[in-house]
Amino acid sequence: AAGVIQSPRHLIKEKRETATLKCYPIPRHDTVYWYQQGPGQDPQFLISFYEKMQSDKGSIPDRFSAQQFSDYHSELNMSSLELGDSALYFCASSLGQGGSPLHFGNGTRLTVT
Amino acid sequence: GESVGLHLPTLSVQEGDNSIINCAYSNSASDYFIWYKQESGKGPQFIIDIRSNMDKRQGQRVTVLLNKTVKHLSLQIAATQPGDSAVYFCAEKMSARQLTFGSGTQLTVLP
């Protein structure tokens, strides 16, 4: 079965640079979520989209922005990168916003040097 | 803010024994709960879910129990296998809001 696809798998950037992470949800899934996970931490919610509109917002820094496109894929744009942004970034998708499971991709490992 | 948490950070069990991983949640308005398994370098993998109108749900070798009175969730794994070694997270959701993860439990299966 098709899963959530994230690219790139690994990304190395320097401080103050920008990065763009991409997420392709499971076919027919209309909701996308972004999470950040530091080492030994639980995933922290950043932002979500339903039918291309932002549906909920968590601890996403103002330096970050995201959007969901007409084909339902989503991109997380990160600017003025800081060392503390180094983490695993996961995207998840679900069918609808209510009681249906979120399925996660294998993440993008971002390293800021 | 309200959050979901786990009682134990680590759990070691003998291969073939049953495992029980516990979780306490504090948001009484949460109506949907999910257990995830996460292996190193991978994303959280869906195991089983339960809605607040149920108190038990069974899957293949796994059972989730929900006690809304004391706001407690547990995951039972039958006949634990080496491949079950991973970090397990419970997560809770309220309607269309975000899914909130609790702190994970590292399950280690001993030979």
Side-chain angles (χ1 to χ4, degrees), chain A residues 9 33 35 37 41-43 45 56-58 88 90 97-106 109, chain B residues 32 34 36 38 41-46 49 51 89 93 95-104:
Chain A
R9 191 78 172 89
Y33 308 78
Y35 283 81
Q37 186 177 31
Q41 304 294 313
D42 55 282
F45 173 74
D56 200 0
K57 192 173 182 180
L88 270 169
F90 291 107
Q97 300 182 88
S100 62
L102 279 67
H103 295 277
F104 285 78
N106 279 327
R109 181 175 293 281
Chain B
Y32 182 54
I34 308 176
Y36 285 95
Q38 188 175 28
K42 295 186 177 180
Q45 177 187 353
F46 172 84
D49 59 358
R51 290 172 174 75
F89 291 98
K93 200 171 189 291
S95 189
R97 299 301 304 279
Q98 62 185 268
L99 183 73
T100 301
F101 282 81
S103 299

Side-chain angles (χ1 to χ4, degrees), chain B residues 6 8-12 21 38 84-88 104-108:
Chain B
L6 292 169
L8 297 172
T10 62
L11 176 66
S12 296
I21 302 173
Q38 188 175 28
D84 294 328
S85 292
V87 176
Y88 288 80
T105 292
Q106 173 71 58
L107 175 66
T108 301

Side-chain angles (χ1 to χ4, degrees), chain A residues 83-98:
Chain A
L83 295 178
D85 295 330
S86 295
L88 270 169
Y89 289 84
F90 291 107
C91 172
S93 72
S94 68
L95 183 61
Q97 300 182 88

Side-chain angles (χ1 to χ4, degrees), chain A residues 6-112:
Chain A
Q6 291 187 245
S7 67
R9 191 78 172 89
H10 301 275
L11 191 57
I12 300 175
K13 292 285 185 177
E14 294 186 355
K15 283 194 303 184
R16 292 179 289 278
E17 285 192 319
T18 61
T20 297
L21 279 54
K22 296 185 178 182
C23 169
Y24 298 87
I26 292 172
R28 295 191 301 278
H29 280 194
D30 50 17
T31 309
V32 169
Y33 308 78
W34 285 96
Y35 283 81
Q36 177 192 60
Q37 186 177 31
Q41 304 294 313
D42 55 282
Q44 294 293 316
F45 173 74
L46 294 177
I47 195 167
S48 62
F49 293 87
Y50 168 67
E51 284 291 345
K52 292 151 280 184
M53 298 289 289
Q54 181 181 309
S55 57
D56 200 0
K57 192 173 182 180
S59 52
I60 184 170
D62 291 341
R63 300 178 288 110
F64 294 5
S65 65
Q67 57 182 320
Q68 185 180 30
F69 295 86
S70 58
D71 63 352
Y72 294 100
H73 95 273
S74 179
E75 295 183 4
L76 177 66
N77 298 294
M78 311 161 74
S79 63
S80 303
L81 287 168
E82 301 173 356
L83 295 178
D85 295 330
S86 295
L88 270 169
Y89 289 84
F90 291 107
C91 172
S93 72
S94 68
L95 183 61
Q97 300 182 88
S100 62
L102 279 67
H103 295 277
F104 285 78
N106 279 327
T108 293
R109 181 175 293 281
L110 173 66
T111 302
V112 182

